[in-house]
Amino acid sequence: MQAIFDASLVIAHRRRALAHPVAGADFLVARAAEDLADRLATVERKFEHGAAIFGVSPAATAVLAASGKVADVQRVEADAAFLGGGPGVISDPETIALEPASIDLAVSLLALQEANDIPGQLIQIRRALKPDGLFLGVLAGAGTLVELRESLLAAETELTGGASPRVIPFTDVRDAGGLLQRAGFALPVADVETVTVRYDTMFGLMADLRAMGATSALADRPRRPSTRRLFHRAAEIYAERFSDPDGRVRASFSFVWLSGWAPDPSQQKPLKPGSAQVSLAKALGEDGNK
C-alpha cells in the first residue's frame, strides 16, 4: 500500500510542538477530551484495563482516570518523548503494540486521521479488545480546514497554473461507519460535530496548526519551499471568501466520533429480515389503524 503520510514527519512535527509549547494551542484536544468524558459518562459499566492510543498528550488518559470507570490505564505512543517521562508502551505508528484480548476499553483522540491504514488500525484495536470491549475514538473528518484548502488551492492555481496537495485528506462520517463494520466491530456508530474557530487572519490559524503539530505530513507534499507570495495571496482569498462582518475569518474542524464493541455472544443482535412473528398490519390493526 502506498503511504499517504510520512510517518517520521508526523512524529517530527509533534515532537517540535511539544518542545515549543504555545499556551492554548491544544484547544481541539481539550474539546475532544471533554466530549470523551461526556460519552464515557453515558456508558453504564466499568472497565478493568483501558488504553489511550497515539494521543501524544495525556488528555485521554486523564479523562479515563477521572471517570472512575477504568481501574487501570496505559498509554500507547509512537515516540518516547510523547510520554513525558511517564509510563507507557512505545509502538510503531502503523501498529499497536497490545496483546490480543488484553484490554476492555480503547480510546483514540485525534490521531487516526494521520494513519496510513485506518482500517488496519481499527482491526488491531478490535483484536486488542476483550469480547464485549469498547472502542471510543474521534478523528478529524471531511470538512476540516475546508477554507484553508480552498484558499491555498485558489492562490496556487492563480499564481502558477497548477496546485499541489497541502491539506491532508479527511474521512467522511459515512465512510467512517463503514470502516468500523469492516474492522469487525459490533454495534458500530459514527456521528459528526463541526467546530468553528475564528482568527484575525489565516496566519493565526497556520500558527495554531504548527503549535498543534498538525501541519501537513503528506508523503506527496511539495519539496520546494512555498513562497511568501503564495501565502499572502491565499490569506487575501481566505479573507475575501470566509470572513465575518467584523473582518475575522472562520476555520472549520469536523469531529467524527466512532464507537463500537468487540463482538460477544451476549450482545443484542438485530432480527433477521422476515423473522417477525406478527405482521405489521396485524400489529396496527387490519385497516392500518390501532
Short mmCIF file of all heavy atoms in Angstrom, two decimals, residues 27 110 125 183 201:
data_model
loop_
_atom_site.label_atom_id
_atom_site.label_comp_id
_atom_site.label_asym_id
_atom_site.label_seq_id
_atom_site.Cartn_x
_atom_site.Cartn_y
_atom_site.Cartn_z
N PHE A 27 -6.42 23.47 22.11
CA PHE A 27 -7.85 23.62 22.36
C PHE A 27 -8.69 22.53 21.69
O PHE A 27 -9.73 22.14 22.21
CB PHE A 27 -8.34 25.01 21.93
CG PHE A 27 -8.25 25.27 20.45
CD1 PHE A 27 -9.32 25.00 19.61
CD2 PHE A 27 -7.10 25.80 19.90
CE1 PHE A 27 -9.25 25.25 18.25
CE2 PHE A 27 -7.02 26.05 18.55
CZ PHE A 27 -8.09 25.77 17.71
N LEU A 110 -8.05 12.14 18.09
CA LEU A 110 -7.48 12.95 17.01
C LEU A 110 -6.12 12.43 16.54
O LEU A 110 -5.16 13.19 16.38
CB LEU A 110 -7.37 14.41 17.47
CG LEU A 110 -8.71 15.08 17.77
CD1 LEU A 110 -8.51 16.50 18.30
CD2 LEU A 110 -9.59 15.11 16.53
N ILE A 125 -7.10 -2.54 16.88
CA ILE A 125 -7.78 -2.14 18.12
C ILE A 125 -8.83 -3.17 18.50
O ILE A 125 -8.93 -3.58 19.67
CB ILE A 125 -8.41 -0.74 17.96
CG1 ILE A 125 -7.32 0.33 17.86
CG2 ILE A 125 -9.36 -0.43 19.12
CD1 ILE A 125 -7.83 1.70 17.48
N ALA A 183 -13.89 -3.42 10.07
CA ALA A 183 -12.92 -3.87 11.08
C ALA A 183 -13.50 -4.93 12.02
O ALA A 183 -12.78 -5.46 12.86
CB ALA A 183 -12.43 -2.68 11.90
N THR A 201 -6.55 36.49 11.03
CA THR A 201 -6.13 36.21 9.66
C THR A 201 -5.84 34.73 9.52
O THR A 201 -5.77 33.98 10.51
CB THR A 201 -4.86 36.99 9.27
OG1 THR A 201 -3.73 36.45 9.99
CG2 THR A 201 -4.99 38.47 9.57
#
